[in-house]
Amino acid sequence: MKYPHPTCRAGLAGCFFGVFTLVTVNVAMAAGTASGGLALAGQRQCLGCHQVETRRVGPPFQAIAQRFHEQPGAADHLARVMRQGSSGQWGAIPMPAQPRLSDADALRLAHWILSLAKE
Ligand code: HEC
């Protein structure tokens, strides 16, 4: 049981519950859409900290897409970052490593995130 992450406990009241309630809500919503990426992000507990368009604990996926989508090797980079964690790229709060995320799921999520970039 990895959650709540220490950063959640420290300052972000509601993060712990957010991980569960938001994920449930988002997965339920995603089930009605064609978005496999969003459903996967829900299943892998990303949505407790990330939303597509608005900042939550972590940066919005759309902002990540905007920053990386034109960089070569971005998908591999993001997939690696998800599994190893990240700090100092977007602000003071670090992202905990997600070691239980498989390589294949990490890469699927990375491609999905990059696909959110607006032209
Ligand atoms: C406990 C909260 C939390 C969870 C859970 C979480 N993230 Fe993050 N994520 C963050 C934070 C905070 C950052 C910003 C880290 C930084 O500034 O370097 C971040 C950054 C990222 C980045 C950008 C990394 C970079 O180098 O720019 C990606 C991509 C990402 N998260 C994807 C995911 C995915 C996919 C999942 C689900 C498998 C996930 N995150 C789960 C909090 C979280």
Side-chain angles (χ1 to χ4, degrees), residues 12 41 46-68 78 81-82 85-96 112-113 116:
L12 297 149
C46 315
L47 301 179
C49 290
H50 292 278
Q51 293 185 346
V52 171
E53 292 181 4
T54 48
R55 189 172 181 88
R56 191 169 161 80
V57 179
F61 283 141
Q62 228 160 46
I64 298 171
Q66 219 58 40
R67 185 184 283 188
F68 286 100
L78 292 183
V81 164
M82 284 167 210
S86 168
S87 66
Q89 303 301 310
W90 296 88
I93 308 170
M95 170 162 159
W112 171 68
I113 291 168
L116 300 171

PDB file of all heavy atoms in Angstrom, residues 12 41 46-68 78 81-82 85-96 112-113 116:
ATOM      1  N   LEU A  12      -1.685  18.239   1.558  1.00  0.00           N
ATOM      2  CA  LEU A  12      -2.782  18.254   0.612  1.00  0.00           C
ATOM      3  C   LEU A  12      -3.957  17.461   1.140  1.00  0.00           C
ATOM      4  O   LEU A  12      -4.160  16.310   0.806  1.00  0.00           O
ATOM      5  CB  LEU A  12      -2.305  17.707  -0.716  1.00  0.00           C
ATOM      6  CG  LEU A  12      -1.223  18.630  -1.275  1.00  0.00           C
ATOM      7  CD1 LEU A  12      -0.215  17.856  -2.104  1.00  0.00           C
ATOM      8  CD2 LEU A  12      -1.867  19.723  -2.103  1.00  0.00           C
ATOM      9  N   ALA A  41      -5.522   5.560 -17.076  1.00  0.00           N
ATOM     10  CA  ALA A  41      -4.985   6.489 -16.076  1.00  0.00           C
ATOM     11  C   ALA A  41      -5.776   6.369 -14.774  1.00  0.00           C
ATOM     12  O   ALA A  41      -5.220   6.477 -13.685  1.00  0.00           O
ATOM     13  CB  ALA A  41      -5.031   7.923 -16.610  1.00  0.00           C
ATOM     14  N   CYS A  46      -3.558   7.441 -11.523  1.00  0.00           N
ATOM     15  CA  CYS A  46      -2.916   8.711 -11.879  1.00  0.00           C
ATOM     16  C   CYS A  46      -3.852   9.874 -11.607  1.00  0.00           C
ATOM     17  O   CYS A  46      -3.404  10.983 -11.311  1.00  0.00           O
ATOM     18  CB  CYS A  46      -2.567   8.743 -13.369  1.00  0.00           C
ATOM     19  SG  CYS A  46      -1.809   7.231 -13.968  1.00  0.00           S
ATOM     20  N   LEU A  47      -5.158   9.613 -11.698  1.00  0.00           N
ATOM     21  CA  LEU A  47      -6.104  10.727 -11.689  1.00  0.00           C
ATOM     22  C   LEU A  47      -6.320  11.308 -10.299  1.00  0.00           C
ATOM     23  O   LEU A  47      -6.924  12.350 -10.146  1.00  0.00           O
ATOM     24  CB  LEU A  47      -7.447  10.289 -12.290  1.00  0.00           C
ATOM     25  CG  LEU A  47      -7.345   9.781 -13.741  1.00  0.00           C
ATOM     26  CD1 LEU A  47      -8.707   9.354 -14.250  1.00  0.00           C
ATOM     27  CD2 LEU A  47      -6.747  10.833 -14.651  1.00  0.00           C
ATOM     28  N   GLY A  48      -5.823  10.617  -9.277  1.00  0.00           N
ATOM     29  CA  GLY A  48      -5.862  11.210  -7.953  1.00  0.00           C
ATOM     30  C   GLY A  48      -4.970  12.434  -7.888  1.00  0.00           C
ATOM     31  O   GLY A  48      -5.193  13.337  -7.085  1.00  0.00           O
ATOM     32  N   CYS A  49      -3.954  12.463  -8.706  1.00  0.00           N
ATOM     33  CA  CYS A  49      -3.009  13.585  -8.694  1.00  0.00           C
ATOM     34  C   CYS A  49      -3.024  14.397  -9.979  1.00  0.00           C
ATOM     35  O   CYS A  49      -2.529  15.520  -9.992  1.00  0.00           O
ATOM     36  CB  CYS A  49      -1.583  13.072  -8.477  1.00  0.00           C
ATOM     37  SG  CYS A  49      -1.280  12.425  -6.817  1.00  0.00           S
ATOM     38  N   HIS A  50      -3.479  13.821 -11.058  1.00  0.00           N
ATOM     39  CA  HIS A  50      -3.471  14.535 -12.341  1.00  0.00           C
ATOM     40  C   HIS A  50      -4.871  14.607 -12.912  1.00  0.00           C
ATOM     41  O   HIS A  50      -5.632  13.646 -12.818  1.00  0.00           O
ATOM     42  CB  HIS A  50      -2.624  13.782 -13.386  1.00  0.00           C
ATOM     43  CG  HIS A  50      -1.169  13.755 -13.099  1.00  0.00           C
ATOM     44  ND1 HIS A  50      -0.319  14.788 -13.403  1.00  0.00           N
ATOM     45  CD2 HIS A  50      -0.397  12.790 -12.547  1.00  0.00           C
ATOM     46  CE1 HIS A  50       0.915  14.452 -13.049  1.00  0.00           C
ATOM     47  NE2 HIS A  50       0.900  13.256 -12.525  1.00  0.00           N
ATOM     48  N   GLN A  51      -5.181  15.733 -13.545  1.00  0.00           N
ATOM     49  CA  GLN A  51      -6.360  15.807 -14.379  1.00  0.00           C
ATOM     50  C   GLN A  51      -5.891  16.189 -15.772  1.00  0.00           C
ATOM     51  O   GLN A  51      -4.748  16.564 -15.969  1.00  0.00           O
ATOM     52  CB  GLN A  51      -7.341  16.834 -13.836  1.00  0.00           C
ATOM     53  CG  GLN A  51      -7.902  16.377 -12.503  1.00  0.00           C
ATOM     54  CD  GLN A  51      -8.979  17.294 -11.968  1.00  0.00           C
ATOM     55  OE1 GLN A  51      -9.155  18.403 -12.446  1.00  0.00           O
ATOM     56  NE2 GLN A  51      -9.687  16.813 -10.982  1.00  0.00           N
ATOM     57  N   VAL A  52      -6.776  16.089 -16.725  1.00  0.00           N
ATOM     58  CA  VAL A  52      -6.373  16.366 -18.101  1.00  0.00           C
ATOM     59  C   VAL A  52      -6.097  17.854 -18.298  1.00  0.00           C
ATOM     60  O   VAL A  52      -5.082  18.244 -18.847  1.00  0.00           O
ATOM     61  CB  VAL A  52      -7.438  15.860 -19.092  1.00  0.00           C
ATOM     62  CG1 VAL A  52      -7.131  16.347 -20.513  1.00  0.00           C
ATOM     63  CG2 VAL A  52      -7.473  14.332 -19.067  1.00  0.00           C
ATOM     64  N   GLU A  53      -7.014  18.693 -17.827  1.00  0.00           N
ATOM     65  CA  GLU A  53      -6.900  20.120 -18.156  1.00  0.00           C
ATOM     66  C   GLU A  53      -6.537  21.021 -16.993  1.00  0.00           C
ATOM     67  O   GLU A  53      -6.130  22.155 -17.206  1.00  0.00           O
ATOM     68  CB  GLU A  53      -8.225  20.618 -18.760  1.00  0.00           C
ATOM     69  CG  GLU A  53      -8.494  20.010 -20.113  1.00  0.00           C
ATOM     70  CD  GLU A  53      -9.783  20.529 -20.721  1.00  0.00           C
ATOM     71  OE1 GLU A  53     -10.422  21.409 -20.117  1.00  0.00           O
ATOM     72  OE2 GLU A  53     -10.137  20.048 -21.801  1.00  0.00           O
ATOM     73  N   THR A  54      -6.748  20.560 -15.777  1.00  0.00           N
ATOM     74  CA  THR A  54      -6.490  21.453 -14.643  1.00  0.00           C
ATOM     75  C   THR A  54      -5.472  20.854 -13.694  1.00  0.00           C
ATOM     76  O   THR A  54      -5.346  19.637 -13.584  1.00  0.00           O
ATOM     77  CB  THR A  54      -7.783  21.743 -13.858  1.00  0.00           C
ATOM     78  OG1 THR A  54      -8.436  20.491 -13.629  1.00  0.00           O
ATOM     79  CG2 THR A  54      -8.694  22.661 -14.611  1.00  0.00           C
ATOM     80  N   ARG A  55      -4.763  21.724 -13.037  1.00  0.00           N
ATOM     81  CA  ARG A  55      -3.749  21.309 -12.091  1.00  0.00           C
ATOM     82  C   ARG A  55      -4.411  20.718 -10.846  1.00  0.00           C
ATOM     83  O   ARG A  55      -5.382  21.253 -10.343  1.00  0.00           O
ATOM     84  CB  ARG A  55      -2.902  22.530 -11.706  1.00  0.00           C
ATOM     85  CG  ARG A  55      -1.718  22.139 -10.908  1.00  0.00           C
ATOM     86  CD  ARG A  55      -0.768  23.285 -10.675  1.00  0.00           C
ATOM     87  NE  ARG A  55       0.323  22.735  -9.909  1.00  0.00           N
ATOM     88  CZ  ARG A  55       1.389  22.170 -10.440  1.00  0.00           C
ATOM     89  NH1 ARG A  55       1.552  22.176 -11.730  1.00  0.00           N
ATOM     90  NH2 ARG A  55       2.310  21.616  -9.687  1.00  0.00           N
ATOM     91  N   ARG A  56      -3.871  19.609 -10.375  1.00  0.00           N
ATOM     92  CA  ARG A  56      -4.366  19.045  -9.127  1.00  0.00           C
ATOM     93  C   ARG A  56      -3.141  18.976  -8.222  1.00  0.00           C
ATOM     94  O   ARG A  56      -2.613  20.025  -7.861  1.00  0.00           O
ATOM     95  CB  ARG A  56      -5.004  17.682  -9.401  1.00  0.00           C
ATOM     96  CG  ARG A  56      -5.782  17.135  -8.242  1.00  0.00           C
ATOM     97  CD  ARG A  56      -6.614  15.920  -8.693  1.00  0.00           C
ATOM     98  NE  ARG A  56      -7.019  15.125  -7.552  1.00  0.00           N
ATOM     99  CZ  ARG A  56      -8.029  15.421  -6.771  1.00  0.00           C
ATOM    100  NH1 ARG A  56      -8.750  16.482  -7.005  1.00  0.00           N
ATOM    101  NH2 ARG A  56      -8.327  14.639  -5.745  1.00  0.00           N
ATOM    102  N   VAL A  57      -2.664  17.792  -7.855  1.00  0.00           N
ATOM    103  CA  VAL A  57      -1.386  17.715  -7.147  1.00  0.00           C
ATOM    104  C   VAL A  57      -0.251  17.877  -8.156  1.00  0.00           C
ATOM    105  O   VAL A  57       0.729  18.574  -7.939  1.00  0.00           O
ATOM    106  CB  VAL A  57      -1.253  16.358  -6.413  1.00  0.00           C
ATOM    107  CG1 VAL A  57       0.084  16.280  -5.692  1.00  0.00           C
ATOM    108  CG2 VAL A  57      -2.408  16.181  -5.434  1.00  0.00           C
ATOM    109  N   GLY A  58      -0.425  17.219  -9.285  1.00  0.00           N
ATOM    110  CA  GLY A  58       0.567  17.295 -10.357  1.00  0.00           C
ATOM    111  C   GLY A  58       0.057  18.151 -11.503  1.00  0.00           C
ATOM    112  O   GLY A  58      -1.098  18.579 -11.504  1.00  0.00           O
ATOM    113  N   PRO A  59       0.910  18.391 -12.478  1.00  0.00           N
ATOM    114  CA  PRO A  59       0.529  19.221 -13.625  1.00  0.00           C
ATOM    115  C   PRO A  59      -0.543  18.528 -14.471  1.00  0.00           C
ATOM    116  O   PRO A  59      -0.617  17.311 -14.490  1.00  0.00           O
ATOM    117  CB  PRO A  59       1.839  19.348 -14.411  1.00  0.00           C
ATOM    118  CG  PRO A  59       2.660  18.156 -14.008  1.00  0.00           C
ATOM    119  CD  PRO A  59       2.280  17.861 -12.585  1.00  0.00           C
ATOM    120  N   PRO A  60      -1.382  19.328 -15.148  1.00  0.00           N
ATOM    121  CA  PRO A  60      -2.381  18.719 -16.034  1.00  0.00           C
ATOM    122  C   PRO A  60      -1.702  17.960 -17.174  1.00  0.00           C
ATOM    123  O   PRO A  60      -0.667  18.381 -17.672  1.00  0.00           O
ATOM    124  CB  PRO A  60      -3.160  19.921 -16.584  1.00  0.00           C
ATOM    125  CG  PRO A  60      -2.412  21.137 -16.212  1.00  0.00           C
ATOM    126  CD  PRO A  60      -1.440  20.788 -15.142  1.00  0.00           C
ATOM    127  N   PHE A  61      -2.297  16.838 -17.569  1.00  0.00           N
ATOM    128  CA  PHE A  61      -1.695  16.040 -18.636  1.00  0.00           C
ATOM    129  C   PHE A  61      -1.538  16.864 -19.911  1.00  0.00           C
ATOM    130  O   PHE A  61      -0.599  16.685 -20.671  1.00  0.00           O
ATOM    131  CB  PHE A  61      -2.552  14.793 -18.909  1.00  0.00           C
ATOM    132  CG  PHE A  61      -2.372  13.719 -17.877  1.00  0.00           C
ATOM    133  CD1 PHE A  61      -3.456  12.967 -17.433  1.00  0.00           C
ATOM    134  CD2 PHE A  61      -1.117  13.413 -17.347  1.00  0.00           C
ATOM    135  CE1 PHE A  61      -3.286  11.954 -16.493  1.00  0.00           C
ATOM    136  CE2 PHE A  61      -0.938  12.411 -16.400  1.00  0.00           C
ATOM    137  CZ  PHE A  61      -2.037  11.678 -15.969  1.00  0.00           C
ATOM    138  N   GLN A  62      -2.482  17.776 -20.142  1.00  0.00           N
ATOM    139  CA  GLN A  62      -2.393  18.584 -21.352  1.00  0.00           C
ATOM    140  C   GLN A  62      -1.137  19.471 -21.347  1.00  0.00           C
ATOM    141  O   GLN A  62      -0.514  19.682 -22.376  1.00  0.00           O
ATOM    142  CB  GLN A  62      -3.633  19.456 -21.477  1.00  0.00           C
ATOM    143  CG  GLN A  62      -4.246  19.403 -22.856  1.00  0.00           C
ATOM    144  CD  GLN A  62      -5.686  19.861 -22.833  1.00  0.00           C
ATOM    145  OE1 GLN A  62      -6.004  20.874 -22.235  1.00  0.00           O
ATOM    146  NE2 GLN A  62      -6.549  19.095 -23.466  1.00  0.00           N
ATOM    147  N   ALA A  63      -0.776  19.991 -20.179  1.00  0.00           N
ATOM    148  CA  ALA A  63       0.428  20.828 -20.094  1.00  0.00           C
ATOM    149  C   ALA A  63       1.676  19.985 -20.332  1.00  0.00           C
ATOM    150  O   ALA A  63       2.633  20.428 -20.971  1.00  0.00           O
ATOM    151  CB  ALA A  63       0.494  21.501 -18.723  1.00  0.00           C
ATOM    152  N   ILE A  64       1.661  18.762 -19.820  1.00  0.00           N
ATOM    153  CA  ILE A  64       2.796  17.862 -20.044  1.00  0.00           C
ATOM    154  C   ILE A  64       2.915  17.578 -21.541  1.00  0.00           C
ATOM    155  O   ILE A  64       4.005  17.627 -22.119  1.00  0.00           O
ATOM    156  CB  ILE A  64       2.612  16.543 -19.250  1.00  0.00           C
ATOM    157  CG1 ILE A  64       2.562  16.844 -17.742  1.00  0.00           C
ATOM    158  CG2 ILE A  64       3.736  15.575 -19.565  1.00  0.00           C
ATOM    159  CD1 ILE A  64       2.174  15.652 -16.877  1.00  0.00           C
ATOM    160  N   ALA A  65       1.773  17.323 -22.169  1.00  0.00           N
ATOM    161  CA  ALA A  65       1.776  17.063 -23.612  1.00  0.00           C
ATOM    162  C   ALA A  65       2.353  18.253 -24.365  1.00  0.00           C
ATOM    163  O   ALA A  65       3.178  18.110 -25.267  1.00  0.00           O
ATOM    164  CB  ALA A  65       0.349  16.775 -24.083  1.00  0.00           C
ATOM    165  N   GLN A  66       1.916  19.439 -23.964  1.00  0.00           N
ATOM    166  CA  GLN A  66       2.356  20.650 -24.644  1.00  0.00           C
ATOM    167  C   GLN A  66       3.875  20.802 -24.546  1.00  0.00           C
ATOM    168  O   GLN A  66       4.527  21.199 -25.496  1.00  0.00           O
ATOM    169  CB  GLN A  66       1.659  21.848 -23.972  1.00  0.00           C
ATOM    170  CG  GLN A  66       1.202  22.924 -24.927  1.00  0.00           C
ATOM    171  CD  GLN A  66       0.238  22.399 -25.989  1.00  0.00           C
ATOM    172  OE1 GLN A  66      -0.630  21.594 -25.703  1.00  0.00           O
ATOM    173  NE2 GLN A  66       0.414  22.841 -27.217  1.00  0.00           N
ATOM    174  N   ARG A  67       4.411  20.469 -23.398  1.00  0.00           N
ATOM    175  CA  ARG A  67       5.845  20.654 -23.198  1.00  0.00           C
ATOM    176  C   ARG A  67       6.654  19.622 -23.984  1.00  0.00           C
ATOM    177  O   ARG A  67       7.747  19.899 -24.453  1.00  0.00           O
ATOM    178  CB  ARG A  67       6.187  20.545 -21.713  1.00  0.00           C
ATOM    179  CG  ARG A  67       7.652  20.853 -21.419  1.00  0.00           C
ATOM    180  CD  ARG A  67       8.010  20.647 -19.958  1.00  0.00           C
ATOM    181  NE  ARG A  67       7.555  21.718 -19.091  1.00  0.00           N
ATOM    182  CZ  ARG A  67       7.905  21.817 -17.793  1.00  0.00           C
ATOM    183  NH1 ARG A  67       8.692  20.900 -17.240  1.00  0.00           N
ATOM    184  NH2 ARG A  67       7.442  22.805 -17.057  1.00  0.00           N
ATOM    185  N   PHE A  68       6.112  18.401 -24.116  1.00  0.00           N
ATOM    186  CA  PHE A  68       6.944  17.306 -24.631  1.00  0.00           C
ATOM    187  C   PHE A  68       6.608  16.833 -26.037  1.00  0.00           C
ATOM    188  O   PHE A  68       7.390  16.109 -26.635  1.00  0.00           O
ATOM    189  CB  PHE A  68       6.840  16.090 -23.691  1.00  0.00           C
ATOM    190  CG  PHE A  68       7.598  16.266 -22.406  1.00  0.00           C
ATOM    191  CD1 PHE A  68       6.942  16.626 -21.235  1.00  0.00           C
ATOM    192  CD2 PHE A  68       8.979  16.083 -22.359  1.00  0.00           C
ATOM    193  CE1 PHE A  68       7.632  16.795 -20.041  1.00  0.00           C
ATOM    194  CE2 PHE A  68       9.684  16.245 -21.180  1.00  0.00           C
ATOM    195  CZ  PHE A  68       9.014  16.598 -20.020  1.00  0.00           C
ATOM    196  N   LEU A  78       8.815   9.943 -20.938  1.00  0.00           N
ATOM    197  CA  LEU A  78       7.713  10.068 -19.973  1.00  0.00           C
ATOM    198  C   LEU A  78       7.409   8.724 -19.319  1.00  0.00           C
ATOM    199  O   LEU A  78       7.113   8.652 -18.130  1.00  0.00           O
ATOM    200  CB  LEU A  78       6.465  10.625 -20.668  1.00  0.00           C
ATOM    201  CG  LEU A  78       6.576  12.083 -21.129  1.00  0.00           C
ATOM    202  CD1 LEU A  78       5.265  12.550 -21.736  1.00  0.00           C
ATOM    203  CD2 LEU A  78       6.976  13.011 -19.983  1.00  0.00           C
ATOM    204  N   VAL A  81       9.929   8.273 -16.654  1.00  0.00           N
ATOM    205  CA  VAL A  81       9.676   9.177 -15.538  1.00  0.00           C
ATOM    206  C   VAL A  81       8.536   8.658 -14.660  1.00  0.00           C
ATOM    207  O   VAL A  81       8.604   8.720 -13.435  1.00  0.00           O
ATOM    208  CB  VAL A  81       9.348  10.592 -16.067  1.00  0.00           C
ATOM    209  CG1 VAL A  81       8.704  11.435 -14.993  1.00  0.00           C
ATOM    210  CG2 VAL A  81      10.610  11.259 -16.583  1.00  0.00           C
ATOM    211  N   MET A  82       7.487   8.136 -15.282  1.00  0.00           N
ATOM    212  CA  MET A  82       6.356   7.627 -14.497  1.00  0.00           C
ATOM    213  C   MET A  82       6.806   6.520 -13.557  1.00  0.00           C
ATOM    214  O   MET A  82       6.407   6.477 -12.408  1.00  0.00           O
ATOM    215  CB  MET A  82       5.302   7.020 -15.425  1.00  0.00           C
ATOM    216  CG  MET A  82       4.474   8.030 -16.150  1.00  0.00           C
ATOM    217  SD  MET A  82       3.585   7.129 -17.440  1.00  0.00           S
ATOM    218  CE  MET A  82       3.439   8.422 -18.648  1.00  0.00           C
ATOM    219  N   GLY A  85       9.538   8.197 -11.007  1.00  0.00           N
ATOM    220  CA  GLY A  85       9.198   9.397 -10.247  1.00  0.00           C
ATOM    221  C   GLY A  85       9.916  10.608 -10.828  1.00  0.00           C
ATOM    222  O   GLY A  85      10.783  10.476 -11.703  1.00  0.00           O
ATOM    223  N   SER A  86       9.533  11.768 -10.357  1.00  0.00           N
ATOM    224  CA  SER A  86      10.057  12.999 -10.937  1.00  0.00           C
ATOM    225  C   SER A  86      10.023  14.083  -9.881  1.00  0.00           C
ATOM    226  O   SER A  86       9.140  14.100  -9.023  1.00  0.00           O
ATOM    227  CB  SER A  86       9.165  13.387 -12.123  1.00  0.00           C
ATOM    228  OG  SER A  86       9.449  14.701 -12.560  1.00  0.00           O
ATOM    229  N   SER A  87      10.990  14.980  -9.931  1.00  0.00           N
ATOM    230  CA  SER A  87      10.917  16.123  -9.025  1.00  0.00           C
ATOM    231  C   SER A  87      11.569  17.341  -9.660  1.00  0.00           C
ATOM    232  O   SER A  87      12.470  17.221 -10.484  1.00  0.00           O
ATOM    233  CB  SER A  87      11.577  15.793  -7.683  1.00  0.00           C
ATOM    234  OG  SER A  87      12.952  15.592  -7.877  1.00  0.00           O
ATOM    235  N   GLY A  88      11.060  18.480  -9.287  1.00  0.00           N
ATOM    236  CA  GLY A  88      11.673  19.730  -9.712  1.00  0.00           C
ATOM    237  C   GLY A  88      11.332  20.171 -11.122  1.00  0.00           C
ATOM    238  O   GLY A  88      11.811  21.202 -11.570  1.00  0.00           O
ATOM    239  N   GLN A  89      10.505  19.419 -11.841  1.00  0.00           N
ATOM    240  CA  GLN A  89      10.188  19.800 -13.210  1.00  0.00           C
ATOM    241  C   GLN A  89       9.009  20.762 -13.290  1.00  0.00           C
ATOM    242  O   GLN A  89       8.914  21.571 -14.194  1.00  0.00           O
ATOM    243  CB  GLN A  89       9.864  18.552 -14.049  1.00  0.00           C
ATOM    244  CG  GLN A  89      10.969  17.508 -14.062  1.00  0.00           C
ATOM    245  CD  GLN A  89      12.266  18.068 -14.610  1.00  0.00           C
ATOM    246  OE1 GLN A  89      12.286  18.677 -15.681  1.00  0.00           O
ATOM    247  NE2 GLN A  89      13.346  17.905 -13.857  1.00  0.00           N
ATOM    248  N   TRP A  90       8.094  20.635 -12.347  1.00  0.00           N
ATOM    249  CA  TRP A  90       6.843  21.404 -12.436  1.00  0.00           C
ATOM    250  C   TRP A  90       6.544  22.205 -11.181  1.00  0.00           C
ATOM    251  O   TRP A  90       5.547  22.895 -11.118  1.00  0.00           O
ATOM    252  CB  TRP A  90       5.673  20.452 -12.711  1.00  0.00           C
ATOM    253  CG  TRP A  90       5.782  19.767 -14.036  1.00  0.00           C
ATOM    254  CD1 TRP A  90       6.432  18.589 -14.296  1.00  0.00           C
ATOM    255  CD2 TRP A  90       5.252  20.210 -15.290  1.00  0.00           C
ATOM    256  NE1 TRP A  90       6.337  18.291 -15.625  1.00  0.00           N
ATOM    257  CE2 TRP A  90       5.617  19.263 -16.258  1.00  0.00           C
ATOM    258  CE3 TRP A  90       4.509  21.333 -15.671  1.00  0.00           C
ATOM    259  CZ2 TRP A  90       5.256  19.402 -17.605  1.00  0.00           C
ATOM    260  CZ3 TRP A  90       4.142  21.460 -17.009  1.00  0.00           C
ATOM    261  CH2 TRP A  90       4.520  20.498 -17.960  1.00  0.00           C
ATOM    262  N   GLY A  91       7.343  22.064 -10.164  1.00  0.00           N
ATOM    263  CA  GLY A  91       7.044  22.772  -8.931  1.00  0.00           C
ATOM    264  C   GLY A  91       7.655  22.047  -7.756  1.00  0.00           C
ATOM    265  O   GLY A  91       8.521  21.189  -7.933  1.00  0.00           O
ATOM    266  N   ALA A  92       7.185  22.380  -6.575  1.00  0.00           N
ATOM    267  CA  ALA A  92       7.823  21.868  -5.366  1.00  0.00           C
ATOM    268  C   ALA A  92       7.437  20.430  -5.043  1.00  0.00           C
ATOM    269  O   ALA A  92       8.148  19.731  -4.338  1.00  0.00           O
ATOM    270  CB  ALA A  92       7.464  22.767  -4.185  1.00  0.00           C
ATOM    271  N   ILE A  93       6.282  19.974  -5.555  1.00  0.00           N
ATOM    272  CA  ILE A  93       5.806  18.646  -5.161  1.00  0.00           C
ATOM    273  C   ILE A  93       6.380  17.590  -6.098  1.00  0.00           C
ATOM    274  O   ILE A  93       6.243  17.694  -7.306  1.00  0.00           O
ATOM    275  CB  ILE A  93       4.269  18.600  -5.229  1.00  0.00           C
ATOM    276  CG1 ILE A  93       3.670  19.769  -4.445  1.00  0.00           C
ATOM    277  CG2 ILE A  93       3.759  17.276  -4.691  1.00  0.00           C
ATOM    278  CD1 ILE A  93       2.185  19.930  -4.660  1.00  0.00           C
ATOM    279  N   PRO A  94       7.041  16.586  -5.550  1.00  0.00           N
ATOM    280  CA  PRO A  94       7.581  15.533  -6.407  1.00  0.00           C
ATOM    281  C   PRO A  94       6.527  14.486  -6.749  1.00  0.00           C
ATOM    282  O   PRO A  94       5.532  14.342  -6.050  1.00  0.00           O
ATOM    283  CB  PRO A  94       8.683  14.912  -5.551  1.00  0.00           C
ATOM    284  CG  PRO A  94       8.249  15.150  -4.144  1.00  0.00           C
ATOM    285  CD  PRO A  94       7.387  16.396  -4.137  1.00  0.00           C
ATOM    286  N   MET A  95       6.748  13.782  -7.838  1.00  0.00           N
ATOM    287  CA  MET A  95       5.881  12.646  -8.166  1.00  0.00           C
ATOM    288  C   MET A  95       6.553  11.374  -7.681  1.00  0.00           C
ATOM    289  O   MET A  95       7.692  11.100  -8.028  1.00  0.00           O
ATOM    290  CB  MET A  95       5.673  12.557  -9.674  1.00  0.00           C
ATOM    291  CG  MET A  95       4.984  11.274 -10.057  1.00  0.00           C
ATOM    292  SD  MET A  95       4.282  11.345 -11.692  1.00  0.00           S
ATOM    293  CE  MET A  95       4.166   9.587 -12.047  1.00  0.00           C
ATOM    294  N   PRO A  96       5.837  10.603  -6.853  1.00  0.00           N
ATOM    295  CA  PRO A  96       6.425   9.353  -6.379  1.00  0.00           C
ATOM    296  C   PRO A  96       6.566   8.361  -7.531  1.00  0.00           C
ATOM    297  O   PRO A  96       5.757   8.355  -8.457  1.00  0.00           O
ATOM    298  CB  PRO A  96       5.412   8.849  -5.348  1.00  0.00           C
ATOM    299  CG  PRO A  96       4.128   9.535  -5.674  1.00  0.00           C
ATOM    300  CD  PRO A  96       4.487  10.835  -6.342  1.00  0.00           C
ATOM    301  N   TRP A 112      -0.758   8.322 -24.837  1.00  0.00           N
ATOM    302  CA  TRP A 112      -2.056   8.982 -24.651  1.00  0.00           C
ATOM    303  C   TRP A 112      -1.861  10.431 -24.197  1.00  0.00           C
ATOM    304  O   TRP A 112      -2.474  11.354 -24.723  1.00  0.00           O
ATOM    305  CB  TRP A 112      -2.906   8.200 -23.641  1.00  0.00           C
ATOM    306  CG  TRP A 112      -4.141   8.957 -23.250  1.00  0.00           C
ATOM    307  CD1 TRP A 112      -5.203   9.242 -24.069  1.00  0.00           C
ATOM    308  CD2 TRP A 112      -4.417   9.558 -21.987  1.00  0.00           C
ATOM    309  NE1 TRP A 112      -6.131   9.994 -23.358  1.00  0.00           N
ATOM    310  CE2 TRP A 112      -5.680  10.188 -22.102  1.00  0.00           C
ATOM    311  CE3 TRP A 112      -3.730   9.615 -20.772  1.00  0.00           C
ATOM    312  CZ2 TRP A 112      -6.260  10.879 -21.027  1.00  0.00           C
ATOM    313  CZ3 TRP A 112      -4.314  10.294 -19.717  1.00  0.00           C
ATOM    314  CH2 TRP A 112      -5.560  10.912 -19.853  1.00  0.00           C
ATOM    315  N   ILE A 113      -0.983  10.635 -23.206  1.00  0.00           N
ATOM    316  CA  ILE A 113      -0.745  11.996 -22.713  1.00  0.00           C
ATOM    317  C   ILE A 113      -0.256  12.893 -23.854  1.00  0.00           C
ATOM    318  O   ILE A 113      -0.760  13.996 -24.053  1.00  0.00           O
ATOM    319  CB  ILE A 113       0.284  11.975 -21.552  1.00  0.00           C
ATOM    320  CG1 ILE A 113      -0.332  11.307 -20.318  1.00  0.00           C
ATOM    321  CG2 ILE A 113       0.740  13.403 -21.207  1.00  0.00           C
ATOM    322  CD1 ILE A 113       0.673  10.985 -19.216  1.00  0.00           C
ATOM    323  N   LEU A 116      -2.679  14.445 -26.207  1.00  0.00           N
ATOM    324  CA  LEU A 116      -3.567  15.509 -25.715  1.00  0.00           C
ATOM    325  C   LEU A 116      -3.092  16.901 -26.114  1.00  0.00           C
ATOM    326  O   LEU A 116      -3.796  17.887 -25.896  1.00  0.00           O
ATOM    327  CB  LEU A 116      -3.655  15.446 -24.183  1.00  0.00           C
ATOM    328  CG  LEU A 116      -4.201  14.148 -23.594  1.00  0.00           C
ATOM    329  CD1 LEU A 116      -4.025  14.147 -22.083  1.00  0.00           C
ATOM    330  CD2 LEU A 116      -5.659  13.959 -23.970  1.00  0.00           C
TER     331      LEU A 116
END
